[in-house]
Amino acid sequence: MERTDLENLVNPEVYAPMVSAELQKAIRFAPLAQVDTTLQGQPGNTLSVSRYEYMGDAALVGEGQPIPLDELGTNTVDVTVHKIGKGTHITDEAVLSGLGDPVGESTRQIGLAMANTVDNALIAAALETPQTVSFSGTLDQQNWLNNLHEMLDVFEDDGDYPYVAIVSPKTANHIRFAFGTTFVGETSVQSIVSGRVLDFEGIQIVRSRKVPDNKVILIKVNNASPALKLIMKRGVEVETDRDIVRKTTVITADEYFAAYLYNPANVVVGTVTASNLEVTDKVYNMEGSVVPTEAQTKGQIQGWLARHGVAPSEIKNATKSELLTKVSSVSTSELGSETESESESESNSVLG
């Protein structure tokens, strides 16, 4: 009788392209970088790579006059190639039980684990930019507007490029709370990076736990001169081995890569002081434990009302005074419901 052994199911020649495909699909911030595979097969773990600088705009040239010749600005940077790897082992029983797909799941998780490490390196590279902005003031709606505009002003262009801002989940919530429903809306523009939660004047705001709470990474997406580069020095290599004592098949995969800041002019990092985040926490709680008052921004009041079931069409164009009136109505209605529930509870208690 023919027998299917686990070692025959895990063929490295088949498995390697599968892990490679999962890896490429799972590298979340790859769209913000130029992926370079031209150095595959070259020896050495330190690479000297060139970074080119913009020569400047073209000049007006008069009749018969020479065209000015400018030097192509360039500098080199040494980049260290890193080896990453991940492995697992699958028991014969796991496959023979027929529950799920342990081989396929291992493929997915190994690719995901390696992609997370590459993403960490891309974020670390972006944080190396010398272009920085310090956020000032309590993080209300107006100050978020001012700070984001200040970051945009660092870029020396006319805003013809898309931008992606990467923030932590906590900071993303602060922005959402500050702007309320006026900040969140449907858009037909395709997302550059997965995990996009907000939009602001051409900036796609993306949430990631890889970014510290006090940092905002703003990247100009320019394919001709990318902010980041990702060198994949060798394709994914998969190896397997058989443990005949424990009856398991060991699977490992490794990859060599380097991530670095290619064009620092296309990245700006904003720093938010911890005290600002703490103040914002105390000022307003969108979940409803604090009822908004005149002290809150219009966007915060809209956000509170949206969380309490008020239709966006009723609050989108309302004035701050009208919004506060709705807050009072909602609060009174909820308080009445609570009172009725308490009365019913007391009545049931007496009848019991």
Side-chain angles (χ1 to χ4, degrees), residues 241-261:
D241 195 15
R242 184 70 179 163
D243 185 340
I244 63 172
V245 176
R246 294 180 175 83
K247 292 298 181 180
T248 63
T249 296
V250 178
I251 309 168
T252 64
D254 63 275
E255 169 71 280
Y256 288 82
F257 82 100
Y260 68 99
L261 183 63

Side-chain angles (χ1 to χ4, degrees), residues 28-33 119-127 135 144 148 151 155 163-173 175 192-198 203-221 227-228 266-272:
R28 186 180 173 197
F29 299 117
L32 303 178
D119 276 334
N120 289 339
L122 288 171
I123 291 295
L127 288 170
F135 284 17
W144 269 117
L148 290 172
M151 294 183 76
F155 298 118
Y163 302 90
V164 173
I166 311 171
V167 299
S168 72
K170 180 177 181 179
T171 303
N173 286 336
I175 301 174
I192 299 171
V193 176
S194 64
R196 167 185 175 194
V197 291
L198 306 168
I203 302 175
Q204 297 186 13
I205 298 182
V206 175
R207 184 170 58 183
S208 172
R209 296 187 183 278
K210 300 180 183 299
V211 180
D213 288 337
N214 68 329
K215 298 294 182 184
V216 177
I217 302 174
L218 182 61
I219 297 178
K220 179 171 69 175
V221 183
L228 304 167
N266 286 345
V267 185
V268 179
V269 173
T271 300
V272 184

Side-chain angles (χ1 to χ4, degrees), residues 47-53 73-79 260-262:
L47 305 173
S48 291
V49 294
S50 298
R51 292 196 296 211
Y52 296 102
E53 299 171 355
T74 182
N75 59 66
T76 60
V77 59
D78 290 335
V79 178
Y260 68 99
L261 183 63
Y262 178 72

Side-chain angles (χ1 to χ4, degrees), residues 125-199:
L127 288 170
E128 294 176 358
T129 181
Q131 299 188 139
T132 59
V133 170
S134 294
F135 284 17
S136 58
T138 303
L139 298 181
D140 56 15
Q141 186 182 59
Q142 188 57 51
N143 275 324
W144 269 117
L145 285 168
N146 295 339
N147 291 321
L148 290 172
H149 274 296
E150 185 179 353
M151 294 183 76
L152 284 173
D153 289 343
V154 174
F155 298 118
E156 296 180 355
D157 57 56
D158 296 325
D160 295 332
Y161 298 94
Y163 302 90
V164 173
I166 311 171
V167 299
S168 72
K170 180 177 181 179
T171 303
N173 286 336
H174 278 292
I175 301 174
R176 186 193 296 273
F177 293 169
F179 284 83
T181 56
T182 61
F183 195 62
V184 185
E186 295 296 328
T187 176
S188 59
V189 179
Q190 184 176 1
S191 295
I192 299 171
V193 176
S194 64
R196 167 185 175 194
V197 291
L198 306 168
D199 287 273

Side-chain angles (χ1 to χ4, degrees), residues 1 37 57 59 63 67 73 80 102 120 130 135 140 156 159 178 184 210 235 268 286 311 334-335 343 352:
M1 182 178 66
T37 59
D57 295 346
E63 182 179 355
I67 296 176
T80 301
N120 289 339
F135 284 17
D140 56 15
E156 296 180 355
V184 185
K210 300 180 183 299
V268 179
M286 196 179 213
E334 290 184 352
L335 181 61
S343 298

